[in-house]
Amino acid sequence: MIDAVTPPAAPAPDRPPALSPAHSTYQRRVADYWNAEENPVNLELGRIDDLYHHHYGIGEADWSVLDDDLDPARRRERVTAELHRLEQAQAELLAHHLGPLSPTDRVFDAGCGRGGGSVVAHLRYGCHADGVTISAKQAEFANDQARRRGIDDRVRYHHRDMLDTGLPAGEFAASWNNESTMYVELDLLFAEHARLLRRGGRYVTVTGCYNDTYGRASREVSLINAHYICDIHPRSAYFRALARNRLVPVHVRDLTAAALPYWELRKQADHLVTGIEDTFITAYENGSFQYLLIVADRV
């Protein structure tokens, strides 16, 4: 339970963004994709507790949800709930690395999707959160969810480009990307995070990247790119771009093995499969693709 605190002064007005944050044909295609997206693997999981995540899960799965003696409806319900639990575990791990934060702190969620990550951070720390998405539909949905929770005075979502947010410089204690870095150039992205973060602020990302030691991007990585209209970066590119933008890694964790149970379970969820499940499993197992947590401080 968060103790009552005196509300902080209202933040300075943000610089108004351009009418449309999509500045290129590619960005418009990405925005169109997410504006049209109604994927059950995102929506059915989110309806469980109104925490809508656009990322994958980590941790050992409860395989009993697949028991054959369950009636089909009950089995489907349990599988959905278990996948959501694994996704929530990933969100909680990321939020854990943002802290310590206080209710007076402000945090930034880059590529916020339908807003689940910002809510998780707010519920953990009581902090103010600003999420940014290139999808007008996602921003509207997320703001509606914040209003329904009664937290819209502290959690806000903006239809903007995460490379040029218009948010005030140096006012954020922490910021993150959760599986959204593959849609942008890393140097431009990390420059914006560095601009927004105060000195000593914390940046966290959980991301899929291709493994430099494997060689070039594998066939599986290319298939994932095509499926999500993205461009997965090599692992080494993250650390070079972070260093160029005053973001110094303090913790790196390979979550690849921890991510496999999620995909193996999702593969067996007939009502949620998207056709990309085997590709992720193969890429993780052949070593061409990795799932990393990177934590860095703004210096």
Side-chain angles (χ1 to χ4, degrees):
M1 179 70 69
I2 299 296
D3 294 332
V5 296
T6 301
D14 300 334
R15 174 168 58 85
L19 291 178
S20 172
H23 299 302
S24 68
T25 301
Y26 170 72
Q27 286 181 310
R28 287 191 291 274
R29 286 191 63 204
V30 172
D32 289 345
Y33 175 89
W34 289 112
N35 283 331
E37 185 268 334
E38 294 285 343
N39 199 315
V41 79
N42 292 322
L43 295 175
E44 287 199 26
L45 274 62
R47 290 188 187 108
I48 292 173
D49 56 5
D50 290 330
L51 285 172
Y52 290 82
H53 298 303
H54 283 277
H55 56 72
Y56 312 126
I58 57 170
E60 188 52 52
D62 177 3
W63 299 105
S64 72
V65 300
L66 298 173
D67 287 349
D68 292 335
D69 58 351
L70 295 172
D71 68 81
R74 177 60 177 156
R75 185 179 190 269
R76 170 176 169 155
E77 179 182 297
R78 291 189 66 198
V79 170
T80 302
E82 180 62 4
L83 288 170
H84 185 62
R85 184 186 71 82
L86 296 173
E87 291 189 1
Q88 182 66 14
Q90 192 262 40
E92 293 286 356
L93 177 68
L94 190 155
H96 168 75
H97 286 283
L98 297 173
L101 297 169
S102 74
T104 60
D105 284 324
R106 193 174 180 186
V107 301
F108 170 55
D109 182 357
C112 62
R114 287 185 171 94
S118 294
V119 177
V120 169
H122 168 73
L123 293 178
R124 175 181 282 260
Y125 300 108
C127 56
H128 294 258
D130 288 270
V132 164
T133 171
I134 202 169
S135 164
K137 182 179 178 181
Q138 287 183 340
E140 181 180 5
F141 181 96
N143 277 316
D144 182 63
Q145 289 298 114
R147 284 189 293 271
R148 290 171 182 267
R149 286 180 175 269
I151 59 174
D152 52 308
D153 60 329
R154 302 179 74 83
V155 179
R156 303 180 300 169
Y157 301 94
H158 312 273
H159 177 217
R160 303 184 187 179
D161 182 355
M162 63 179 161
L163 303 181
D164 182 20
T165 64
L167 297 171
E171 291 198 5
F172 292 82
S175 65
W176 70 92
N177 287 89
N178 199 343
E179 295 183 18
S180 55
T181 57
M182 61 286 298
Y183 287 100
V184 294
E185 295 179 42
L186 292 180
D187 272 300
L188 297 177
L189 174 66
F190 295 154
E192 182 67 353
H193 280 285
R195 186 186 72 82
L196 295 174
L197 287 168
R198 67 194 185 197
R199 189 176 182 90
R202 174 64 53 85
Y203 171 72
V204 181
T205 186
V206 176
T207 188
C209 55
Y210 76 76
N211 184 355
D212 299 82
T213 63
Y214 182 89
R216 301 294 296 173
S218 67
R219 174 180 180 274
E220 290 76 26
V221 169
S222 297
L223 290 172
I224 295 169
N225 280 336
H227 185 85
Y228 291 108
I229 321 177
C230 64
D231 186 14
I232 293 166
H233 304 290
R235 181 180 61 195
S236 59
Y238 284 87
F239 300 98
R240 290 196 298 266
L242 287 167
R244 285 192 292 262
N245 289 283
R246 302 179 65 85
L247 295 167
V248 179
V250 294
H251 179 70
V252 179
R253 180 175 170 186
D254 186 347
L255 299 173
T256 306
L260 264 171
Y262 169 87
W263 287 101
E264 291 166 343
L265 178 60
R266 184 167 137 177
K267 177 183 175 181
Q268 300 185 65
D270 294 341
H271 61 299
L272 298 174
V273 293
T274 64
I276 200 65
E277 289 76 16
D278 279 327
T279 302
F280 271 88
I281 292 168
T282 300
Y284 284 149
E285 290 181 337
N286 69 22
S288 65
F289 190 56
Q290 293 178 293
Y291 197 54
L292 294 188
L293 166 75
I294 304 172
V295 183
D297 285 344
R298 164 68 164 88
V299 298

